[in-house]
Amino acid sequence: MTRSLVQDLSFTSVKAEFNRRGIDFGKMHMKTLGITGTDSLFTNLGLLLSDQCMHTIKFAVFNGTKKGEFKTRKEIEGSLMTQINNAFDFLNLSNNLVATFSGLNRIEQHDYPLEALREAMLNSIIHRDYSFSGSIIVNLYDDRIEFVSLGGLMPGLKIEDLFLGISQPRNEKL
């Protein structure tokens, strides 16, 4: 793991998330997870998970099916743990719930399956190339959601490989 140029880091969000899940988070765990290196200095993964992470996720909700009139915008910052949780909360709020009836039964259905939104958001964060400074962009339209995450295909992979189910993790420890 590459050493972070920033070493004054805090991990309030990560500690809270680990605590919520009943998982210990100490110096030994930080080394095992790759947050610190063998020299006990923070790695770039540590920087991404720290409260000082400088990368963000930007949301734009458009009125209609084209870029033009904004309904709202939101930028999420902080630890990637915070970003994941807040991004999913925002997507969930933007995911309309429609109720229909079949006889006496009420059938509720979201515009998009929650599992698909979670997977798309996680993939945008996990497979992003963090050597670029731009934000992850999520555009929400009346008829679709677009996720734009920097990085492109990993070296050696072709688009055809994706259709065969071949994948190559960019940020394996993340």
Side-chain angles (χ1 to χ4, degrees), residues 64-109:
T65 60
K66 296 182 179 161
K67 287 184 182 175
E69 183 183 335
F70 282 105
K71 286 184 183 176
T72 189
R73 292 186 246 189
K74 181 172 183 69
E75 184 169 11
I76 298 173
E77 54 189 21
S79 167
L80 287 187
M81 284 293 205
T82 299
Q83 291 186 41
I84 288 169
N85 290 324
N86 292 346
F88 188 70
D89 288 347
F90 186 79
L91 281 172
N92 201 25
L93 283 174
S94 301
N95 193 10
N96 296 319
L97 182 65
V98 177
T100 58
F101 293 90
S102 176
L104 295 176
N105 297 320
R106 178 183 167 123
I107 302 165
E108 293 183 345
Q109 186 173 359

Side-chain angles (χ1 to χ4, degrees), residues 84-159:
I84 288 169
N85 290 324
N86 292 346
F88 188 70
D89 288 347
F90 186 79
L91 281 172
N92 201 25
L93 283 174
S94 301
N95 193 10
N96 296 319
L97 182 65
V98 177
T100 58
F101 293 90
S102 176
L104 295 176
N105 297 320
R106 178 183 167 123
I107 302 165
E108 293 183 345
Q109 186 173 359
H110 286 280
D111 286 345
Y112 303 98
L114 296 178
E115 298 81 9
L117 291 179
R118 183 185 68 236
E119 185 72 14
M121 195 70 253
L122 285 172
N123 281 339
S124 296
I125 293 168
I126 292 170
H127 296 295
R128 179 177 193 252
D129 186 344
Y130 287 97
S131 64
F132 294 106
S133 62
S135 299
I136 292 172
I137 305 292
V138 182
N139 295 323
L140 295 96
Y141 301 91
D142 288 350
D143 62 345
R144 69 190 183 284
I145 300 176
E146 298 174 348
F147 293 83
V148 180
S149 182
L150 299 168
L153 289 175
M154 290 288 291
L157 280 182
K158 296 180 272 205
I159 290 178

Side-chain angles (χ1 to χ4, degrees), residues 28-86:
M28 184 177 66
H29 302 96
M30 292 173 89
K31 190 168 286 194
T32 301
L33 294 169
I35 294 170
T36 58
T38 55
D39 54 7
S40 296
L41 295 174
F42 292 116
T43 63
N44 284 333
L45 174 62
L47 178 60
L48 293 174
L49 294 175
S50 76
D51 302 321
Q52 291 72 32
C53 177
M54 72 288 285
H55 299 284
T56 64
I57 303 171
K58 293 182 179 179
F59 288 88
V61 182
F62 294 98
N63 191 22
T65 60
K66 296 182 179 161
K67 287 184 182 175
E69 183 183 335
F70 282 105
K71 286 184 183 176
T72 189
R73 292 186 246 189
K74 181 172 183 69
E75 184 169 11
I76 298 173
E77 54 189 21
S79 167
L80 287 187
M81 284 293 205
T82 299
Q83 291 186 41
I84 288 169
N85 290 324
N86 292 346

